[in-house]
Amino acid sequence: MTEGCVVAVVRRPDLDSSAVDGLPALLADYHLRTEAEKGVAVAGADALPERYRAEIVDPRTAYADDAVLVARCGDTAVGCLVVTSPADGRSEIKRVWTDPAFRGRGIASELLAAALAHAAAGGADTVRLSVWDWRAGAIALYERFGFAVTESWDERGRLVCMERAV
């Protein structure tokens, strides 16, 4: 990454307040933008569905079994990603987000590379993710990383499911 941005792999139980400073704001931005793109704009994080508010309010509990990757530029958290612990040889990447002011610097690519390395080190054979079909830039990024569209495991319309071997 450029301009002093680094990816820090933050895991439970070593998830401490200094490591996650800024993470709740990134998660809130992610969920608010996603809801707005789905046509369900909400006034603020307090109006999000409970399952999303729980992630924002207490990421330590929400991701207790997962790895949270946070990209920082100096002291500022500018991107995040969650990779689940392997189940049946498969991990899932979710909550990929880069602050719009920091896009175009390779932050999402660094997060993805770190997530794939973490999944492989944790024993995953396959990594999967889902992305809304209107997020063409994200889909192109995932394809550059070797993800391919696969049969959907989710019944929500317009959701593209992708996976790749690690």
Side-chain angles (χ1 to χ4, degrees):
M1 269 190 267
T2 62
E3 301 181 38
C5 298
V6 298
V7 175
V9 178
V10 181
R11 283 179 269 237
R12 169 88 169 127
D14 60 333
L15 191 64
D16 64 27
S17 60
S18 66
V20 297
D21 281 348
L23 179 60
L26 291 169
L27 292 168
D29 289 348
Y30 169 87
H31 287 301
L32 289 168
R33 173 72 60 90
T34 301
E35 293 301 292
E37 289 173 351
K38 290 190 292 187
V40 190
V42 294
D46 291 340
L48 286 166
E50 173 56 33
R51 67 186 182 276
Y52 300 148
R53 285 194 319 268
E55 293 176 19
I56 295 164
V57 170
D58 188 6
R60 173 179 268 168
T61 299
Y63 305 123
D65 297 325
D66 305 325
V68 177
L69 285 66
V70 179
R72 298 179 119 10
C73 283
D75 292 335
T76 304
V78 298
C80 64
L81 175 154
V82 174
V83 59
T84 64
S85 296
D88 297 324
R90 185 177 310 149
S91 287
E92 184 170 356
I93 291 174
K94 55 187 180 179
R95 308 301 183 252
V96 180
W97 182 253
T98 302
D99 180 322
F102 290 86
R103 291 188 181 160
R105 299 183 191 191
I107 292 169
S109 294
E110 289 290 330
L111 286 166
L112 279 172
L116 292 169
H118 176 79
D125 299 319
T126 304
V127 175
R128 68 183 194 172
L129 56 82
S130 58
V131 58
W132 296 105
D133 66 359
W134 59 79
R135 291 186 169 159
I139 292 170
L141 173 66
Y142 302 145
E143 288 174 337
R144 284 194 303 275
F145 271 80
F147 285 88
V149 174
T150 189
E151 186 175 331
S152 181
W153 59 80
D154 192 303
E155 295 183 16
R156 293 177 287 174
R158 300 194 67 188
L159 199 62
V160 177
C161 294
M162 304 177 83
E163 67 181 15
R164 66 159 274 181
V166 285

